[in-house]
Amino acid sequence: MSNIDLILKAREHGKNFIYETPILFNKKFNEIVGKNIFIKPECLQVTGSFKFRGAWCAISHLKKENKISNGVVAYSSGNHAQAIASASQTHGISSVIIMPKDAPKQKISNTLGYNAKVVFYDRYNEIREQIGENIAIEKNLTLIKPYDEHLVIAGQGTCGLEIIEQSKKLGLEKAEVLVCCGGGGLSAGISLALEKYAPYYKLRTCEPEFYDDTARSLKSGKREINETTYPSICDAILTPTPGEITFPILKRNASEGLVASETEVLQAMKLLYQHFKIVSEPGGAVAAAAAIFSKNKLKEKDIIVVVSGGNVDSEVFSKAISEK
């Protein structure tokens, strides 16, 4: 089964469970930015981020194929965690979630609220992949990776199908699609949909400053590694290197990557709240920050921005909307 077939199947399996998020635009905001910006608010998705698409696709498929035995295990800073926990609860299976001990409090609380068992680790001194593989073997659980998994990528690709259909209704003939990027699951999934149905749209990955591994990898043609463990508020998309599965897809389909600073991200969160009345988390607002502050690098007048998540602690959000 091809990648696009998996995406179409994912949409079919999720049609009664996954929200079709809208595309929003605001004349005043566009005047400020100097571009036609169209916002795809995945912060309104189930569990507050796009991650539910991939989690639902993976768990529903594996359960249907009888490939889940004792339950599932996943590692995540919070959005994949909540998505896996929620999808598992709905399917009546148990979940173990490995989370960094410094993850946002809201993400930890929400994950526990879906009856998941949470195992904490030190993101700066421990390797979550090793912990996940060990727990999977020890407890005979099915490991569902956050981005380097074909079923997860297919689920994220359903967002791309929506973007294509909605933007066509808006009469957008050409556009650049800006997507927040960590390991590249969402970017890869959307790019596969664009490759098949809208090749005249160009995907741009967007990353936080100091964690621009995908942008550097797209430039060099090989997977680059972030040498830093620099603290960042963009916890949702801090990965050391692009995924083994996702990068070849992005290498084929994505244009030059964009990068945003922490200050720019906070400003973007404020503007998204002021003009669209949506709450975004820092990692979820990176694409909006790139659209606002790197507009000179954008080639098209029409820009589609995916706001990928909205699970933000109140103190961080208060800091953002207080920005001058």
Side-chain angles (χ1 to χ4, degrees):
M1 186 178 291
S2 71
N3 288 319
I4 196 65
D5 288 337
L6 278 176
I7 293 172
L8 295 172
K9 279 279 188 183
R11 169 177 257 191
E12 181 184 331
H13 291 160
K15 61 185 177 183
N16 295 321
F17 299 93
I18 295 170
Y19 295 156
E20 180 175 327
T21 55
I23 281 189
L24 311 173
F25 57 92
N26 180 285
K27 184 178 179 181
K28 180 65 176 176
F29 182 78
N30 289 351
E31 289 175 356
I32 293 171
V33 177
K35 293 274 188 180
N36 295 330
I37 306 292
F38 300 86
I39 300 292
K40 177 75 168 165
E42 281 294 292
C43 50
L44 303 180
Q45 188 55 257
V46 182
T47 69
S49 87
F50 75 93
K51 289 286 191 178
F52 187 77
R53 295 177 183 269
W56 185 266
C57 176
I59 289 175
S60 60
H61 181 90
L62 291 170
K63 187 170 184 184
K64 186 177 180 181
E65 298 293 320
N66 294 316
K67 292 181 179 178
I68 295 178
S69 51
N70 295 341
V72 299
V73 59
Y75 41 77
S76 165
S77 70
N79 286 334
H80 183 61
Q82 293 169 84
I84 290 292
S86 174
S88 296
Q89 184 181 56
T90 302
H91 280 91
I93 62 175
S94 64
S95 62
V96 176
I97 310 296
I98 301 154
M99 300 183 73
K101 59 187 179 183
D102 61 344
K105 294 187 289 291
Q106 181 183 328
K107 292 181 178 180
I108 295 171
S109 175
N110 288 353
T111 302
L112 290 168
Y114 295 116
N115 294 331
K117 178 182 178 181
V118 174
V119 175
F120 294 105
Y121 78 102
D122 180 349
R123 75 164 88 215
Y124 302 109
N125 296 298
E126 294 181 287
I127 301 173
R128 65 181 191 175
E129 289 83 358
Q130 288 182 356
I131 298 171
E133 289 169 7
N134 290 340
I135 290 176
I137 293 169
E138 179 186 333
K139 300 184 179 296
N140 192 27
L141 303 178
T142 300
L143 175 63
I144 301 179
K145 298 177 181 179
Y147 49 85
D148 246 356
E149 159 58 55
H150 289 291
L151 291 172
V152 169
I153 295 169
Q156 321 307 23
T158 61
C159 183
L161 296 179
E162 291 176 18
I163 287 171
I164 293 163
E165 294 164 357
Q166 293 167 331
S167 59
K168 284 185 176 179
K169 288 179 181 178
L170 292 168
L172 307 186
E173 294 182 1
K174 288 185 176 182
E176 288 176 272
V177 182
L178 274 57
V179 185
C180 305
C181 183
L186 180 60
S187 303
I190 291 175
S191 79
L192 287 169
L194 297 179
E195 180 183 42
K196 177 67 176 179
Y197 297 115
Y200 35 86
Y201 282 24
K202 300 301 179 185
L203 184 130
R204 308 289 296 271
T205 59
C206 303
E207 298 170 288
E209 193 175 26
F210 307 116
Y211 290 89
D212 60 343
D213 47 285
T214 299
R216 290 185 287 111
S217 299
L218 289 171
K219 188 173 183 178
S220 71
K222 59 185 179 68
R223 293 168 68 217
E224 302 288 348
I225 299 173
N226 292 321
E227 301 296 341
T228 181
T229 53
Y230 194 88
S232 172
I233 60 173
C234 301
D235 65 282
I237 54 176
L238 303 184
T239 52
T241 188
E244 290 183 22
I245 298 174
T246 58
F247 180 63
I249 298 170
L250 292 173
K251 184 178 177 181
R252 185 173 76 238
N253 294 330
S255 299
E256 179 187 0
L258 302 170
V259 180
S261 71
E262 198 163 286
T263 299
E264 291 169 345
V265 167
L266 290 169
Q267 288 281 359
M269 291 171 65
K270 179 178 181 178
L271 289 169
L272 287 169
Y273 180 69
Q274 287 180 332
H275 297 283
F276 297 94
K277 302 300 179 281
I278 59 176
V279 173
S280 56
E281 63 187 281
V286 171
I292 297 165
F293 297 103
S294 296
K295 60 185 177 183
N296 59 314
K297 295 183 179 180
L298 302 175
K299 299 175 177 61
E300 302 294 340
K301 66 173 183 177
D302 295 328
I303 309 298
I304 299 166
V305 172
V306 180
V307 177
S308 57
N311 293 306
V312 58
D313 284 346
S314 57
E315 53 267 35
V316 176
F317 188 68
S318 295
K319 180 181 179 182
I321 60 176
S322 300
E323 282 283 300
K324 299 295 184 183

